[in-house]
Amino acid sequence: MDFDAIDAIDIHTHVEIDGCGHRSLDDELMAASEKYFRSGEERTPGIESIAEHYRQRNMAAVVFTVDAHSASGHSPNSVEEIAERAAEFNDVLIPFGSVDPLQGKAAVKRVHRLVDEFGVRGFKFHPSMQGFEPNDRRYYPVYEAITEAGVPALFHTGQTGIGAGLPGGHGIKLRYSDPMLLDDVAADFPDLTIVMAHPAVPWVDAQISIATHKANVYIDLSGWSPKYFPPQLVKAANSMLRHKVLFGSDFPVIQVDRWRKDFATLDMKPEVLPLIFKDNALTVLGVKH
């Protein structure tokens, strides 16, 4: 990919359907998520249409799914297929992998396989959806494998639209996505680049503290319209965290154009914008710039 030729990198986009038409969520969770986000556009675009969407905007996108098979009982869409298809559109798409931490040694082996054979550039985790506490040492071999591979790990943090409004939240536990659990991981794996996805409501102050304290931890701004960003996060992104905050939309649940339009209303310093929209992502991805 010619990173000099693109204007921005969306660090957080979902592929919710594979080539066989298999969705990443079951019908009940998909419906709840669509209601929560009030998704007004096509919710399940394929890889080719995602690539064209970002190519038209002269942007690159990190694409992924989430393997939550053990916790949900729902077979994920194909991580391997997403990586293979993304490679066909490598002028704009950057594939991340996903492994189910509850699968133990098999998850560790899959990390190596996804990096070595499929060229993934990072890994996505959703602790609430996958049903695990990130700082449980049972999952440390997975982080060791990702650290050895030299790629970042991106973790969902804070509130989630998955299961929102359903009885018991469909059994999904928000506490697994408390960013303080990742503080342990960041301390124990100083060579692992960690991205805390989304403004971590209701734990935004903790999230800011962790990103300030740990050199290997970043925040992506996906999952919320910028007009709803907590003011302390905007202030931090404009100052002490200007090198630690990343543009992300959460496409397709939040459309890129809507996110950027709302972000433009924030009082951001001009010199901070290229950092948020591209330069910080290049650092996370290990691209020299």
Side-chain angles (χ1 to χ4, degrees):
M1 181 178 295
D2 183 359
F3 288 103
D4 291 332
I6 60 173
D7 296 329
I9 299 172
D10 187 339
I11 200 74
H12 198 117
T13 73
H14 291 268
V15 181
E16 297 187 330
I17 192 167
D18 61 24
C20 296
H22 189 79
R23 290 185 170 191
S24 58
L25 301 175
D26 64 37
D27 291 342
E28 186 177 21
L29 287 178
M30 180 66 77
S33 176
E34 289 174 346
K35 182 178 180 181
Y36 177 83
F37 284 104
R38 298 193 294 272
S39 305
E41 303 286 340
E42 181 189 2
R43 180 58 190 266
T44 54
I47 282 284
E48 185 172 356
S49 62
I50 293 173
E52 183 57 28
H53 187 81
Y54 281 89
R55 190 178 293 118
Q56 289 174 0
R57 289 155 178 79
N58 200 36
M59 295 167 56
V62 170
V63 293
F64 47 68
T65 188
V66 177
D67 185 345
H69 184 226
S70 295
S72 69
H74 180 75
S75 298
N77 50 9
S78 174
V79 176
E80 289 79 6
E81 180 189 293
I82 289 170
E84 287 180 328
R85 293 299 319 279
E88 298 175 27
F89 306 98
N90 61 9
D91 59 318
V92 289
L93 298 185
I94 303 166
F96 270 26
S98 180
V99 298
D100 182 347
L102 302 183
Q103 292 183 351
K105 292 181 179 179
V108 174
K109 291 180 180 178
R110 196 178 188 200
V111 166
H112 291 298
R113 181 168 176 262
L114 286 170
V115 173
D116 296 341
E117 297 181 23
F118 292 89
V120 303
R121 301 286 296 274
F123 286 85
K124 166 65 187 295
F125 296 94
H126 194 309
S128 292
M129 188 177 170
Q130 293 176 304
F132 78 106
E133 292 179 303
N135 63 344
D136 189 319
R137 289 184 174 269
R138 286 179 294 176
Y139 311 118
Y140 274 28
V142 175
Y143 307 146
E144 289 170 1
I146 297 173
T147 304
E148 290 171 6
V151 298
L154 187 152
F155 291 82
H156 172 95
T157 60
Q159 166 72 306
T160 180
I162 308 301
L166 298 177
H170 204 72
I172 292 168
K173 298 175 181 177
L174 298 181
R175 69 179 179 88
Y176 291 158
S177 293
D178 184 338
M180 285 306 298
L181 301 180
L182 294 176
D183 186 66
D184 293 352
V185 180
D188 293 338
F189 292 89
D191 295 325
L192 174 62
T193 297
I194 294 172
V195 179
M196 298 182 289
H198 319 307
V201 176
W203 302 292
V204 172
D205 291 330
Q207 182 183 43
I208 292 170
S209 180
I210 295 164
T212 303
H213 189 254
K214 302 292 191 294
N216 53 321
V217 178
Y218 296 76
I219 299 171
D220 89 33
L221 298 174
S222 68
W224 293 74
S225 164
K227 64 184 178 182
Y228 299 123
F229 284 175
Q232 65 269 42
L233 180 59
V234 176
K235 182 178 179 180
N238 240 344
S239 55
M240 61 186 179
L241 291 184
R242 64 176 60 194
H243 293 286
K244 305 297 288 295
V245 173
L246 314 169
F247 159 51
S249 67
D250 216 7
F251 179 86
V253 297
I254 293 181
Q255 293 294 309
V256 180
D257 296 342
R258 173 196 172 193
W259 192 99
R260 296 198 69 169
K261 179 181 177 181
D262 291 348
F263 187 79
T265 67
L266 301 181
D267 186 19
M268 301 298 295
K269 297 175 182 177
E271 63 270 24
V272 172
L273 298 181
L275 301 175
I276 292 176
F277 278 105
K278 187 168 78 167
D279 293 350
N280 295 342
L282 293 176
T283 300
V284 165
L285 294 169
V287 178
K288 293 182 179 180
H289 61 102

